[in-house]
Amino acid sequence: MVPAWLDKKREIPSDVRALINLARENNCWIFHIRTRIFYIPDEFMAQRTLLYTEGIRGLSNNKEFAVKSPYVAIKQRAE
């Protein structure tokens, strides 16, 4: 059995928590730039282990995500 403080899977990285909180506060969605897919904050939270990667020396892929308005998503899909 692994102690809770050693279990990294439970802990939500601060980058992810900040991104989700920013999207929730502004009623926005999270856009994954590489795959061009929009996620509502709850979807992103559920799939964070698949989407967010944290590598060696604290390097992560947090630059691949942007918080955008749902209207931008509708406009982008219409084009």
Side-chain angles (χ1 to χ4, degrees):
M1 184 169 166
V2 178
W5 59 274
L6 280 177
D7 190 7
K8 296 289 183 184
K9 292 179 183 176
R10 283 188 184 180
E11 184 178 331
I12 300 170
S14 61
D15 294 344
V16 174
R17 187 177 300 123
L19 187 68
I20 291 170
N21 287 340
L22 181 66
R24 282 184 181 157
E25 289 170 2
N26 295 312
N27 294 324
C28 292
W29 293 348
I30 300 169
F31 180 64
H32 191 202
I33 297 168
R34 188 171 44 90
T35 60
R36 300 180 53 87
I37 297 175
F38 284 92
Y39 297 95
I40 62 171
D42 294 332
E43 285 177 339
F44 188 81
M45 181 72 150
Q47 297 180 9
R48 74 180 186 276
T49 55
L50 300 173
L51 298 171
Y52 181 81
T53 57
E54 193 169 32
I56 302 170
R57 296 185 202 150
L59 298 175
S60 66
N61 68 339
N62 61 350
K63 303 258 188 231
E64 292 183 6
F65 303 105
V67 176
K68 294 191 176 188
S69 168
Y71 300 112
V72 173
I74 293 169
K75 182 179 176 184
Q76 186 175 358
R77 290 296 173 199
E79 292 175 352

